[in-house]
Amino acid sequence: VRGAKCEVRGARSEGEAGRTTMKARRKGHKPWGGRFAQATDPLVETYTASIQFDRRLYRYDIQGSVAHARMLAKCGLLAKAEADKIVTGLHEIVGEIERGEFRFDPSSEDIHMAIEGRLIEKVGEAGAKLHTGRSRNDQVVLDLRLYLREEIGLVRRLVAGLQRALIGQAESHLDLIMPGYTHLQRAQPVLLAHHLMAYVEMLERDRARLTDALVRVNVMPLGSGALSGVGLPIDRRFVARALQFRSLSANSLDAVSDRDFVIESLAAFALLMAHLSRLAEEIVLWASSEFGFIELPDAFATGSSMMPQKKNPDVAELTRAKTGRVFGALVALLTVVKGLPLSYNRDLQEDKEPLFDSVETVKAALSAMAPLVGGLAFHRDRMRKAAQDGFLNATDMADYLVLKGVPFRQAHEIVGRVVRRCLSKRCRIEELSLKELQTRFSGLFDQDVFAYIAVEACVDRRRATGGTATATVKKAIGTAKTRLRSG
């Protein structure tokens, strides 16, 4: 530490050299320019710059720099007055950026150098000491972790908002029966509430995946340096506490080149978007004249420039399409890292645009889908009629025979013949007479079969956990609401 203090005092004694360096820096000199005899070609500057998209990390970069400066002062690598000056300057830069006064110069390459350059302009020599004990390699991954930690929290809250919209519709329609589908063919009657709660469960898994991903995101990499760690007496735990990280990265080579936490988050976003796309597809289908199950809220539908009668489900359609962008981001980053040797490579700069785009896409989709779902109006008569047509009670008729002692396969065969008879007569099962059922198909049919295969009875018999019975769905709604209250 004494040696480090001497080094700091030595740097202060070389003020003229420092001022010369700062002057050169203001003229666009690179922080690594001492090695090079030629200026960077403008084409290379443009090609390699990331400041046009990584500028959104400015708050996180400054958070990290404030914590780093305080740590350097604690360890004797900066004077307290210098650290205070740096922190004040950094807070002023936040204000400049947020007021639109900050000039983002492409020659700065990235947000880290842009902020450092402005800091040196504002506070002089002290600003040039901020980079002591860190590299852009560990600095950028710190910023990404801080950014993603915050954004995951926002996405989780938006997922919960969509869940609440679904639950609200489920609670309001506990008596509404609709056809359940397999292969997009009417299969068995279910409650609309049960159908909506299926999406609540999908989204709950998404929330859980995001929570789990946070464990890997919330790891503090600063202090890994360029790749091998830092040779100065720093205190990584001090920075971790200041930035509320739960753990420290264990290997410096891994820390600066690790983008697993980004890929894992993108995978969670991709699966979340897959679930939104499924919901969107059903909204598109249900809003069609062929289904006629729902009416879209006017505020979340669009019209046609030519056809006055049209009411289009554009929000749902775009959600369905935007899913591909998030899938693509995941594949893009997997492709970036698949052949990289340790440790940091400039390829990793390509992590940001796919990540930023995915985060914004997911947030936009969730923000639009929640009020769309909350505003849906359901056509009760149309849905109930669809549940009564198509022989959706055929399985229950087979179960009726099973309870009379008929093996299920034999019961299945009998009811299949009943359905064939109804198709030829163009009637429902319950419209056949008891006499015809007994004489043509099985003497085990009795008058109570009609009550047994009524659509309400078919629904309410499914009382096992996870079933569509009203009492079971009410319990599922209660459980989901409790989960949401607990976070």
Side-chain angles (χ1 to χ4, degrees):
V1 175
R2 279 198 299 274
K5 288 182 179 176
C6 290
E7 182 181 281
V8 171
R9 284 198 295 271
R12 282 199 293 269
S13 70
E14 296 171 359
E16 187 60 38
R19 283 190 290 276
T20 301
T21 300
M22 286 182 278
K23 185 177 179 182
R25 180 68 177 276
R26 284 194 293 272
K27 290 181 178 179
H29 183 74
K30 303 296 184 186
W32 38 262
R35 164 67 175 79
F36 294 83
Q38 289 183 312
T40 308
D41 189 294
L43 178 63
V44 173
E45 223 166 48
T46 301
Y47 186 64
T48 60
S50 61
I51 195 166
Q52 66 270 24
F53 51 83
D54 70 14
R55 65 178 63 181
R56 74 174 59 201
L57 296 175
Y58 75 91
R59 282 195 300 112
Y60 312 102
D61 195 74
I62 288 173
Q63 285 175 26
S65 291
V66 167
H68 184 67
R70 294 294 188 203
M71 181 274 292
L72 291 176
K74 172 185 177 292
C75 295
L77 296 169
L78 274 183
K80 184 179 183 301
E82 290 176 316
D84 290 342
K85 201 173 182 181
I86 288 170
V87 170
T88 299
L90 288 170
H91 288 316
E92 290 173 359
I93 290 170
V94 172
E96 290 176 2
I97 294 173
E98 293 181 347
R99 291 191 300 272
E101 299 168 0
F102 191 94
R103 180 174 173 269
F104 291 97
D105 186 351
S107 68
S108 296
E109 295 186 17
D110 55 40
I111 189 62
H112 325 295
M113 292 297 98
I115 289 173
E116 183 179 305
R118 179 61 180 140
L119 180 67
I120 292 170
E121 288 179 359
K122 290 178 71 66
V123 307
E125 189 176 313
K129 297 178 180 179
L130 176 59
H131 209 57
T132 303
R134 74 175 180 184
S135 163
R136 278 189 293 176
N137 293 359
D138 59 355
Q139 187 179 356
V140 65
V141 74
L142 171 71
D143 293 1
L144 270 180
R145 288 178 181 276
L146 288 170
Y147 161 81
L148 196 46
R149 186 173 70 181
E150 183 173 301
E151 293 294 345
I152 285 175
L154 291 173
V155 171
R156 288 187 77 256
R157 289 193 286 276
L158 288 170
V159 171
L162 178 53
Q163 287 178 295
R164 290 188 183 96
L166 289 160
I167 291 169
Q169 289 282 24
E171 283 190 299
S172 299
H173 298 90
L174 270 168
D175 61 338
L176 205 171
I177 296 174
M178 63 171 288
Y181 293 84
T182 63
H183 309 280
L184 204 56
Q185 305 293 311
R186 294 176 190 172
Q188 291 180 318
V190 298
L191 293 179
L192 168 65
H194 190 55
H195 192 110
L196 296 175
M197 290 302 294
Y199 286 102
V200 173
E201 291 302 315
M202 291 183 210
L203 294 169
E204 187 61 28
R205 293 195 296 274
D206 292 319
R207 285 206 312 142
R209 268 184 288 272
L210 290 167
T211 301
D212 191 49
L214 275 174
V215 175
R216 261 79 64 195
V217 171
N218 206 18
V219 177
M220 213 286 290
L222 203 64
S224 300
L227 74 160
S228 63
V230 175
L232 296 170
I234 63 172
D235 186 344
R236 296 187 68 204
R237 294 195 180 280
F238 177 92
V239 179
R241 286 192 297 272
L243 297 175
Q244 299 182 339
F245 281 102
R246 292 188 175 183
S247 61
L248 301 177
S249 56
N251 182 289
S252 60
L253 288 165
D254 177 55
V256 298
S257 59
D258 171 26
R259 294 300 183 272
D260 291 4
F261 68 97
V262 178
I263 293 171
E264 184 177 357
S265 300
L266 286 173
F269 293 152
L271 195 45
L272 167 58
M273 286 300 295
H275 293 152
L276 295 185
S277 186
R278 294 182 73 179
L279 176 59
E281 170 68 6
E282 296 215 282
I283 290 172
V284 171
L285 287 173
W286 291 3
S288 68
S289 299
E290 286 68 24
F291 274 76
F293 287 178
I294 58 174
E295 182 73 22
L296 299 169
D298 285 353
F300 285 84
T302 64
S304 165
S305 61
M306 177 178 280
M307 297 168 283
Q309 83 283 7
K310 293 295 293 300
K311 189 174 187 181
N312 299 325
D314 285 20
V315 171
E317 290 172 343
L318 282 171
T319 298
R320 194 172 58 186
K322 286 177 184 292
T323 299
R325 293 172 65 160
V326 181
F327 287 6
L330 173 60
V331 173
L333 195 50
L334 284 168
T335 305
V336 166
V337 303
K338 71 175 180 59
L340 291 186
L342 287 173
S343 58
Y344 182 82
N345 295 270
R346 192 64 176 269
D347 310 53
L348 293 173
Q349 180 174 296
E350 290 298 302
D351 61 352
K352 295 172 193 63
E353 287 181 287
L355 175 62
F356 295 158
D357 185 73
S358 293
V359 167
E360 294 308 316
T361 299
V362 168
K363 290 194 299 184
L366 288 165
S367 297
M369 289 293 285
L372 170 60
V373 167
L376 294 175
F378 293 90
H379 296 312
R380 305 177 68 91
D381 292 344
R382 184 73 178 256
M383 296 179 83
R384 182 180 176 83
K385 184 177 185 303
Q388 290 174 324
D389 292 339
F391 315 110
L392 276 66
N393 50 4
T395 302
D396 290 80
M397 178 175 254
D399 289 344
Y400 174 89
L401 292 174
V402 167
L403 292 175
K404 298 279 189 174
V406 179
F408 179 77
R409 283 299 166 209
Q410 186 179 339
H412 189 288
E413 171 69 22
I414 291 169
V415 176
R417 290 191 285 110
V418 171
V419 169
R420 192 164 69 243
R421 175 64 174 169
C422 290
L423 287 169
S424 69
K425 294 184 68 172
R426 297 188 178 183
C427 68
R428 298 173 180 167
I429 292 176
E430 54 269 33
E431 292 173 337
L432 294 175
S433 68
L434 177 60
K435 181 178 179 182
E436 185 171 10
L437 287 174
Q438 289 175 332
T439 56
R440 276 183 170 268
F441 305 106
S442 173
L444 293 174
F445 285 120
D446 207 340
Q447 188 63 43
D448 61 349
V449 69
F450 298 106
Y452 194 88
I453 64 173
V455 68
E456 292 84 1
C458 294
V459 167
D460 277 332
R461 256 194 307 277
R462 285 160 170 78
R463 297 172 187 170
T465 301
T468 192
T470 303
T472 307
V473 174
K474 282 183 179 178
K475 186 176 179 180
I477 289 172
T479 299
K481 291 169 76 173
T482 299
R483 285 190 311 232
L484 287 172
R485 283 194 296 269
S486 66

